[in-house]
Amino acid sequence: MTSRISFELNATDGKARTGVINTPRGEIRTPAFMPVGTAATVKAMMPESVRSTGADILLGNTYHLMLRPTAERIDRLGGLHKFMNWERPILTDSGGFQVMSLAGLRKLTEKGVTFKSHIDGSKHELTPERSMEIQKLLGSDIVMCFDECPALPADRDRIAESMRLSMRWAERSKEAFGDRPGHALFGIVQGGLEKDFREESANALREIGFDGYAVGGLAVGEGQEAMFDCLDYAPDMLPVDKPRYLMGVGKPDDIVGAVKRGIDMMDCVLPSRSGRTGQAFTRKGVVNIKNARHADDPRQLDAACTCPACSNYSRAYLHHVFRSNEMISGMLLTWHNLQYFQDIMDGMRNAIAAGTFEAWEKDFHEGRAQGDIEPL
Amino acid sequence: MTSRISFELNATDGKARTGVINTPRGEIRTPAFMPVGTAATVKAMMPESVRSTGADILLGNTYHLMLRPTAERIDRLGGLHKFMNWERPILTDSGGFQVMSLAGLRKLTEKGVTFKSHIDGSKHELTPERSMEIQKLLGSDIVMCFDECPALPADRDRIAESMRLSMRWAERSKEAFGDRPGHALFGIVQGGLEKDFREESANALREIGFDGYAVGGLAVGEGQEAMFDCLDYAPDMLPVDKPRYLMGVGKPDDIVGAVKRGIDMMDCVLPSRSGRTGQAFTRKGVVNIKNARHADDPRQLDAACTCPACSNYSRAYLHHVFRSNEMISGMLLTWHNLQYFQDIMDGMRNAIAAGTFEAWEKDFHEGRAQGDIEPL
């Protein structure tokens, strides 16, 4: 335990890195996958179950929490950690991305953005200063700069304009964040798929100086190839001694490809959202448990997995409870998916430390290429 | 562990009894409350969590399981215990009650009942012989006779006719059940609220001879007073050395009143169903967590409860996740309700053993009469 947040890089293998972010609330082993606890809960999971999968840190959403139950209420109740019974580190996003994707009628100015709540239509404002205030009220350990993120594709002018606004907001975020020992502020590189803009954005952020750096504005519809092209250069523009966070990513092979390119942290709703819709990620690819082929199948979902869904139940049971709309379906498949994602992270951390990342990655892709076990 | 099912009565206090039903799958401490695992899951709960509340036995529904995933499929998969990951005892009902309450278009004959599935409209038949077969395929530890249960109020002729049919079916159930060491068959007393019919029914069942006796046909709309009137005499008509099971009961005060009158086992969906709709049972009465008064309340749901909902969360959190339609709402409130019901059973077992049931009952009613803690 430490009173300041620091990052130790323990090993690299190619561009892939492994290390530890030390925080007063515990260690975050990197590369780290952060399950998403949107509205102060990782959907369908008890927090102790999330922890049991190996998660060191959760992500909370500023946009959702500011609308309900509100940041002020969470502050009065002792902060987000206590509220949701998760004592380990929490990273909060800035709200900018959800304003773009969820809110109604928004108005963007130099000052910030006004928008209507998707829950009740009420009017709200987010600015860099207000986002910092909300994330402080929540008690977030890792705070994200408030930024604006255009949907791709967009023309170069729009991307440049948006990126430069985000850089001015990054400066205001840093100013508003102030000096908060034990809490970190991360800047967010923007610039779409334009290398020169990414360079300009990274330089602007390094000039301001942050505890970590996120690559933003990806995984918004550009496809894996375009994302990897960007990740071939974007992490190299960032300081080697600070954590690098790729926001909103992704599928298992996205995650592996990002780590290979020098990313240390990621988050995504995919394992929990897919779990609730009957989709499981396994070492042999994706399994749709609602498929009739599983109805009589006594075998495990993923024979190499240690989660409760794989240890205690057959595919036939998982199929039955999904078809019956039973809550345990979402509970078990979410648990499995989160376990699998954490197992991937654990595998990569060990492989990078051992200098065997390339072999690990080959195994990973070969397993998934096999496809699911044959029907009985 | 034993290879036969036996009942030991350890103490009585007034008419209240405490003891143990020994089965090859473990002890059932009585009085026992059985959570309902309708479709091979206690809704919103992992089975290990159900066990942690103190439940020794679950109830499974023949009607639901025969329709989906079917008894034959569960048998092929190794039985209901393995299928749903619950290694302790399971009692299954006979299907008769749900045919009455859920199925479409049914036709009743001396042989049995044909009906249409509420899931897909497919046609099915249940007879005493088929019900015994299904419960055997499921691997049930305590099997219930197939019976017919008229809705109350009904006229005396209808009640007598139905009861006598159920007694003929009880005989056929016993014959079809055969000799199955390690498995028990319970008869079900019918007769509505008519004491003479209850007597006739109890005598008919004792004549046939069962491992335990249920009081059926109550908690079907007659009200607590009428039910207690019936329970003032019905248990006394049954052998003292066999367990007595009151089917489908009930609210906490129903349960306490039934145990006071000599009942040993009960089951009800109430704790789980209420949990999913935001209703919590506490030592100080019912709490509706969706009520706005809880939005800022940092206090526990029930300060004397050890469940995760009460140990780790505020009322404000429980209110927030209910309002946000988060699955953890149903998960936590169901857990709490099941814990509270099991705590009541534990309290009664200890009080009966100590000869202090009357004092315990007074405390129970006084606590609930206080009503919920004052709003802040």
Side-chain angles (χ1 to χ4, degrees):
Chain A
M1 299 289 265
T2 165
S3 67
R4 303 213 59 110
I5 289 191
S6 64
F7 179 52
E8 283 170 57
L9 197 54
N10 293 330
T12 58
D13 187 358
K15 285 189 179 183
R17 302 143 46 104
T18 184
V20 174
I21 303 171
N22 294 296
T23 86
R25 290 188 174 273
E27 289 189 343
I28 305 160
R29 296 163 293 168
T30 66
F33 179 79
M34 302 185 280
V36 178
T38 310
T41 166
V42 176
K43 290 181 197 300
M45 294 287 286
M46 301 284 271
E48 49 273 37
S49 307
V50 178
R51 173 60 185 158
S52 80
T53 64
D56 290 334
I57 175 170
L58 296 187
L59 182 139
N61 285 120
T62 284
Y63 171 82
H64 288 92
L65 295 170
M66 72 181 280
L67 297 180
R68 186 170 61 191
T70 78
E72 281 70 16
R73 176 169 282 153
I74 288 178
D75 178 47
R76 282 196 299 275
L77 291 161
L80 183 56
H81 297 81
K82 183 177 176 191
F83 186 61
M84 69 184 292
N85 189 33
W86 175 266
E87 287 306 319
R88 291 181 173 268
I90 293 175
L91 179 149
T92 46
D93 63 11
S94 69
F97 183 79
Q98 265 86 22
V99 168
M100 176 186 91
S101 59
L102 290 178
L105 220 62
R106 64 181 197 130
K107 193 180 162 210
L108 182 70
T109 66
E110 181 67 28
K111 186 186 173 205
V113 57
T114 52
F115 62 94
K116 283 194 175 168
S117 160
H118 74 290
I119 300 171
D120 61 7
S122 58
K123 205 174 154 188
H124 298 268
E125 183 176 40
L126 267 178
T127 63
E129 293 74 20
R130 177 61 181 153
S131 179
M132 294 306 106
E133 185 182 23
I134 289 171
Q135 293 180 75
K136 186 175 183 177
L137 287 167
L138 296 174
S140 170
D141 302 286
I142 301 182
V143 170
M144 299 305 297
C145 281
F146 187 64
D147 66 341
E148 205 253 336
C149 170
L152 296 183
D155 64 40
R156 271 181 60 89
D157 285 354
R158 168 75 183 101
I159 291 169
E161 191 187 347
S162 166
M163 179 272 286
R164 287 169 194 144
L165 176 65
S166 288
M167 295 307 102
R168 294 191 296 277
W169 284 0
E171 198 156 0
R172 282 167 55 193
S173 294
K174 174 81 185 275
E175 174 73 22
F177 180 79
D179 183 35
R180 297 182 58 209
H183 301 266
L185 179 65
F186 279 25
I188 306 173
V189 180
Q190 291 290 354
L193 301 174
E194 312 295 319
K195 190 172 181 180
D196 53 341
F197 295 160
R198 287 276 170 189
E199 186 86 52
E200 180 184 332
S201 178
N203 288 339
L205 294 177
R206 295 177 71 149
E207 184 73 22
I208 302 167
F210 289 97
D211 303 307
Y213 294 84
V215 179
L218 292 180
V220 291
E222 74 281 7
Q224 190 189 67
E225 196 183 332
M227 181 174 82
F228 282 173
D229 283 348
C230 181
L231 291 178
D232 281 337
Y233 56 76
D236 299 330
M237 298 170 176
L238 300 172
V240 78
D241 62 344
K242 299 289 182 190
R244 301 162 180 171
Y245 164 29
L246 177 60
M247 304 181 80
V249 170
K251 293 194 296 291
D253 53 331
D254 293 334
I255 287 173
V256 172
V259 168
K260 182 183 185 173
R261 290 167 174 83
I263 293 295
D264 304 307
M265 304 165 72
M266 275 153 292
D267 77 282
C268 195
V269 296
L270 193 67
S272 42
R273 182 173 294 165
S274 298
R276 297 196 305 284
T277 58
Q279 192 176 61
F281 296 94
T282 80
R283 284 158 181 79
K284 294 173 190 276
V286 170
V287 173
N288 287 305
I289 204 67
K290 64 188 150 195
N291 192 308
R293 62 161 280 193
H294 304 298
D296 266 304
D297 196 329
R299 295 173 298 178
Q300 292 165 282
L301 178 58
D302 182 336
C305 182
T306 59
C307 85
C310 294
S311 304
N312 302 329
Y313 301 94
S314 59
R315 289 173 176 229
Y317 183 80
L318 298 173
H319 174 83
H320 164 67
V321 289
F322 180 83
R323 286 287 184 104
S324 302
N325 289 316
E326 289 289 347
M327 284 173 69
I328 200 171
S329 174
M331 293 160 66
L332 287 172
L333 288 189
T334 300
W335 196 325
H336 167 76
N337 283 340
L338 288 176
Q339 184 67 64
Y340 177 56
F341 274 57
Q342 293 298 339
D343 287 351
I344 292 175
M345 306 318 289
D346 200 52
M348 289 196 290
R349 287 191 298 261
N350 292 335
I352 297 165
T356 58
F357 184 78
E358 199 174 329
W360 182 92
E361 192 197 6
K362 187 163 169 282
D363 278 356
F364 167 81
H365 287 300
E366 280 177 2
R368 293 169 54 86
Q370 281 176 34
D372 194 16
I373 50 178
E374 288 298 310
L376 288 178
Chain B
M1 299 290 263
T2 166
S3 67
R4 299 209 67 105
I5 289 191
S6 64
F7 179 52
E8 284 169 56
L9 197 54
N10 294 330
T12 57
D13 187 358
K15 286 190 180 181
R17 302 144 45 105
T18 184
V20 174
I21 302 171
N22 294 296
T23 86
R25 290 189 174 271
E27 289 189 345
I28 305 160
R29 296 163 294 169
T30 66
F33 179 80
M34 302 184 280
V36 178
T38 309
T41 165
V42 177
K43 291 181 195 297
M45 293 288 287
M46 302 283 270
E48 50 272 37
S49 307
V50 177
R51 173 60 185 157
S52 81
T53 65
D56 291 333
I57 176 171
L58 296 187
L59 181 139
N61 286 119
T62 284
Y63 172 83
H64 288 93
L65 295 170
M66 73 181 279
L67 297 180
R68 189 171 57 191
T70 77
E72 280 70 15
R73 177 168 282 153
I74 289 178
D75 178 48
R76 283 196 298 275
L77 291 161
L80 183 56
H81 298 82
K82 184 177 176 192
F83 187 61
M84 71 184 290
N85 188 32
W86 174 266
E87 287 306 320
R88 292 181 173 267
I90 294 175
L91 179 149
T92 45
D93 63 11
S94 69
F97 184 79
Q98 264 88 24
V99 168
M100 177 186 91
S101 59
L102 291 177
L105 220 60
R106 63 181 196 130
K107 193 180 163 210
L108 182 70
T109 67
E110 181 67 29
K111 185 184 174 208
V113 57
T114 52
F115 61 93
K116 284 196 174 167
S117 160
H118 74 289
I119 299 171
D120 62 7
S122 57
K123 204 174 155 188
H124 298 267
E125 182 175 42
L126 268 177
T127 62
E129 292 75 19
R130 177 62 181 150
S131 179
M132 294 307 105
E133 184 182 25
I134 290 171
Q135 294 180 74
K136 186 175 182 177
L137 288 166
L138 296 174
S140 172
D141 304 284
I142 302 182
V143 171
M144 300 303 298
C145 280
F146 188 64
D147 65 342
E148 206 252 337
C149 169
L152 295 184
D155 63 41
R156 272 182 59 90
D157 285 354
R158 167 79 183 99
I159 291 169
E161 190 186 348
S162 165
M163 179 271 287
R164 287 170 193 144
L165 176 65
S166 288
M167 295 308 101
R168 294 191 295 277
W169 285 0
E171 199 157 359
R172 283 167 55 192
S173 294
K174 176 80 185 278
E175 175 71 22
F177 180 79
D179 183 35
R180 298 181 58 209
H183 301 265
L185 179 65
F186 280 24
I188 306 174
V189 181
Q190 291 290 354
L193 302 174
E194 312 296 319
K195 191 173 180 180
D196 53 341
F197 295 160
R198 288 275 169 190
E199 186 87 51
E200 180 184 333
S201 177
N203 288 340
L205 295 177
R206 294 176 72 150
E207 184 72 23
I208 302 167
F210 290 97
D211 303 307
Y213 295 83
V215 180
L218 293 180
V220 291
E222 74 281 5
Q224 191 189 67
E225 198 183 330
M227 180 174 82
F228 281 174
D229 283 347
C230 182
L231 292 178
D232 281 336
Y233 57 76
D236 299 330
M237 299 169 177
L238 300 172
V240 77
D241 62 345
K242 300 289 180 189
R244 301 162 181 170
Y245 163 30
L246 177 61
M247 303 182 80
V249 170
K251 293 196 296 294
D253 53 332
D254 293 334
I255 287 173
V256 172
V259 168
K260 183 183 186 174
R261 289 165 175 83
I263 293 294
D264 303 309
M265 303 166 72
M266 276 154 291
D267 77 282
C268 195
V269 296
L270 194 68
S272 42
R273 181 173 294 165
S274 298
R276 297 197 306 285
T277 57
Q279 193 175 59
F281 295 94
T282 79
R283 285 159 180 78
K284 294 173 190 276
V286 170
V287 172
N288 287 305
I289 205 67
K290 64 185 150 195
N291 191 308
R293 62 160 280 194
H294 304 298
D296 267 303
D297 196 329
R299 296 173 298 179
Q300 292 164 284
L301 178 58
D302 183 334
C305 182
T306 60
C307 85
C310 294
S311 302
N312 301 330
Y313 300 94
S314 59
R315 289 174 174 226
Y317 183 79
L318 298 173
H319 173 83
H320 164 66
V321 288
F322 180 83
R323 286 287 184 106
S324 303
N325 290 315
E326 290 288 349
M327 286 172 69
I328 201 172
S329 174
M331 293 160 67
L332 287 172
L333 289 190
T334 300
W335 197 324
H336 167 75
N337 284 341
L338 289 176
Q339 184 67 65
Y340 177 55
F341 274 56
Q342 293 297 339
D343 287 352
I344 292 174
M345 305 319 287
D346 200 53
M348 288 195 291
R349 287 191 297 262
N350 292 335
I352 296 165
T356 58
F357 184 78
E358 197 175 329
W360 183 92
E361 192 196 6
K362 187 163 170 281
D363 277 358
F364 167 81
H365 287 299
E366 280 176 3
R368 293 169 54 86
Q370 281 177 34
D372 193 17
I373 49 178
E374 289 297 310
L376 288 177

